Amino acid sequence: MGVLMSRRQTVERVQKVSLAVSAFKDGLREQPSTRRRAEAGTTRQGTLEQEVQEGEEEPSAGPSQAEESSASKAAWERLRDGRGVEPEEFDRANRFTPPAFIRPKRELHDDEPPDISLEQREQILNDEMCEICEVWTAESLFPCRICHRVYHDGCLRRMGYLQKDSAVEVTETAHTETGWSCYYCDNLNLLLTEEEMYSLMETLKSCKIIPESCLTLDDFLHYKHQVHKQQFERTMPEAQEEQAALQFNALDPDKKGHIEWQDFLSHESIQLLQKIRPQNALLRLLTLKERERARAAFLALDQDNDGFIGEGECRQARHTWFRKHQKEMLSCNVSISHVGPISEGSPASSRNGKSPEKILPATKQEETSIDWPGFLRENVIYILAARPNSAAVHLQPPA
């Protein structure tokens, strides 16, 4: 019995000591910060009280700088890994885990010309199951206009890829002729290899570009001047600066006075591809749907079926890739006889009241003729640049 009582007393004593220590620590936390600083300044003894005070004062030494550095590091990591901006308001507990993305690699045969026939049409087949949840629900799936993938709007929302009004945009455009690009195809930066991405990141860092930030016209021109000086070791000519200003306007169609980070990143990615990849390698990036649309565009312009179109017609087709969807969408039942919605200057349009047959022969006699392979080579970079859903023109075609 005595042994039991001694054990109980021991437990009670330990509990009392624990309570006393907890009360002591709580008392230290409740002391005003000015008093703690005064006491810390008058004595430097290694007491328990001083250690608690120093431990509490250290977090206030500069958390903003640490948080800023962490946020910047996370932004660069998202850029390197091909992930988009991840807003803090996302409820990650109720979100699907984003799929791991592996950047493409260059193959030995990439520089060889691909076999893309004009006569042999390619059958377009979309996936039957949602890319995210792998469930088939027929008409409720939204197809990508670039690749074969299909999605549920609910799955896209839980992935964080549909926000605010973008769900309505997907619903209105996915089943129309203009279509909607999925999160893979919408991000042109995902076309870059690891080596190309590293090169782009080094350029952005050297020019002090802050990732995931908007750029004003002055920021954009300053960046272009720095890049030009790094490459050519001389000042950028005035004519080239004017072209850069025009490109800024193309990236800011709503005249906000700034361009969004994703549009800037897509523009720089497509510029890098145009500079370092040969045209044959770019042609291999075209999907089946893009090849079929290009084929339909060429056949619509080749009215006399001789396998050639005029240079002016080639430029017109290049511009039509950037005709973004309007409020009144064309029905998906309309046959695709052009690339995107018909523009007023397009030979496929009858708004001008002139028959295409009357103007095409004269145009062909005056201009250099372009065949199907040449048409693809001239337009491939603009076809790729037109993938994003944004209304911005990520690569302004020459007039």
Side-chain angles (χ1 to χ4, degrees):
M1 186 69 179
V3 175
L4 293 177
M5 289 298 294
S6 64
R7 288 182 178 177
R8 182 184 301 174
Q9 291 174 354
T10 302
V11 172
E12 291 177 352
R13 287 178 182 177
V14 171
Q15 291 176 346
K16 289 180 180 179
V17 171
S18 299
L19 291 174
V21 172
S22 299
F24 175 71
K25 290 183 178 180
D26 292 338
L28 291 179
R29 293 191 182 95
E30 293 173 358
Q31 290 180 4
S33 58
T34 55
R35 180 181 176 184
R36 290 202 302 269
R37 292 193 189 97
E39 292 176 355
T42 55
T43 176
R44 303 303 300 173
Q45 298 178 358
T47 62
L48 174 62
E49 181 180 357
Q50 182 180 355
E51 292 176 358
V52 173
Q53 291 171 0
E54 292 176 353
E56 293 179 353
E57 291 174 357
E58 284 179 359
S60 62
S64 59
Q65 184 177 0
E67 291 176 359
E68 182 179 356
S69 176
S70 178
S72 177
K73 182 179 179 181
W76 284 113
E77 288 178 353
R78 286 194 292 270
L79 179 59
R80 180 197 62 203
D81 297 339
R83 292 175 291 165
V85 179
E86 298 182 358
E88 297 179 356
E89 60 267 20
F90 282 162
D91 183 7
R92 300 184 182 277
N94 295 323
R95 287 182 59 197
F96 290 140
T97 302
F101 178 79
I102 301 176
R103 288 193 173 275
K105 296 182 179 180
R106 295 291 306 277
E107 302 293 341
L108 295 176
H109 65 279
D110 281 355
D111 296 344
E112 300 176 3
D115 183 17
I116 305 177
S117 173
L118 176 62
E119 294 78 15
Q120 185 176 358
R121 308 300 290 266
E122 300 177 83
Q123 186 179 6
I124 298 176
L125 295 175
N126 290 322
D127 290 345
E128 295 183 352
M129 296 187 298
C130 174
E131 176 71 14
I132 299 173
C133 69
E134 298 183 352
V135 173
W136 177 80
T137 52
E139 297 300 325
S140 63
L141 290 170
F142 297 103
C144 174
R145 68 183 175 91
I146 305 298
C147 67
H148 54 81
R149 302 180 183 93
V150 294
Y151 301 85
H152 293 119
D153 60 339
C155 293
L156 291 170
R157 191 176 291 107
R158 289 194 64 185
M159 288 283 291
Y161 294 119
L162 286 189
Q163 304 175 59
K164 299 179 182 178
D165 298 332
S166 56
V168 178
E169 178 183 346
V170 172
T171 304
E172 292 181 350
T173 62
H175 293 287
T176 63
E177 183 179 343
T178 300
W180 160 82
S181 296
C182 70
Y183 55 87
Y184 284 109
C185 303
D186 182 61
N187 189 355
L188 296 179
N189 185 251
L190 300 185
L191 296 175
L192 301 183
T193 63
E194 290 185 2
E195 295 79 10
E196 293 165 347
M197 188 63 237
Y198 178 81
S199 173
L200 177 58
M201 287 180 61
E202 288 300 306
T203 301
L204 297 177
K205 288 181 178 180
S206 64
C207 295
K208 310 299 183 183
I209 295 296
I210 302 175
E212 302 178 2
S213 62
C214 299
L215 280 77
T216 64
L217 177 59
D218 291 339
D219 297 331
F220 187 74
L221 292 180
H222 179 68
Y223 168 76
K224 288 297 182 181
H225 274 283
Q226 286 185 302
V227 172
H228 188 276
K229 193 169 184 179
Q230 289 178 3
Q231 293 179 349
F232 304 102
E233 297 183 353
R234 63 175 184 270
T235 305
M236 187 169 67
E238 184 176 352
Q240 196 166 342
E241 181 178 349
E242 294 177 357
Q243 290 295 325
L246 292 175
Q247 181 61 58
F248 178 89
N249 293 332
L251 292 170
D252 180 27
D254 297 331
K255 308 303 177 186
K256 299 178 181 178
H258 66 268
I259 55 179
E260 302 294 335
W261 167 254
Q262 193 60 39
D263 289 324
F264 171 74
L265 183 60
S266 292
H267 169 68
E268 291 304 305
S269 299
I270 204 70
Q271 286 271 20
L272 184 61
L273 286 175
Q274 186 181 28
K275 181 173 66 174
I276 66 178
R277 296 257 192 115
Q279 287 181 323
N280 289 332
L282 294 176
L283 286 171
R284 293 185 178 276
L285 297 177
L286 296 180
T287 64
L288 186 151
K289 292 182 180 180
E290 288 175 320
R291 295 196 299 267
E292 192 60 24
R293 283 198 173 195
R295 187 180 287 110
F298 185 86
L299 292 175
L301 294 171
D302 184 18
Q303 295 291 320
D304 52 8
N305 297 322
D306 64 350
F308 293 89
I309 64 173
E311 187 177 358
E313 297 163 344
C314 182
R315 289 195 298 268
Q316 287 179 341
R318 187 179 305 158
H319 281 267
T320 58
W321 285 100
F322 300 101
R323 307 293 292 192
K324 302 296 182 178
H325 64 274
Q326 306 296 326
K327 292 182 179 180
E328 297 181 359
M329 298 297 303
L330 294 176
S331 171
C332 58
N333 295 325
V334 179
S335 61
I336 302 179
S337 59
H338 60 285
V339 183
I342 300 177
S343 60
E344 294 182 358
S346 172
S349 174
S350 58
R351 297 176 185 175
N352 52 16
K354 296 182 180 180
S355 173
E357 289 79 2
K358 294 181 180 180
I359 59 176
L360 282 177
T363 303
K364 285 190 175 183
Q365 292 177 359
E366 297 173 0
E367 295 181 336
T368 303
S369 297
I370 298 177
D371 59 3
W372 167 242
F375 175 82
L376 280 181
R377 289 193 300 270
E378 291 291 328
N379 289 281
V380 59
I381 193 66
Y382 301 102
I383 295 174
L384 295 173
R387 286 185 177 186
N389 294 308
S390 169
V393 178
H394 298 94
L395 190 62
Q396 180 71 33

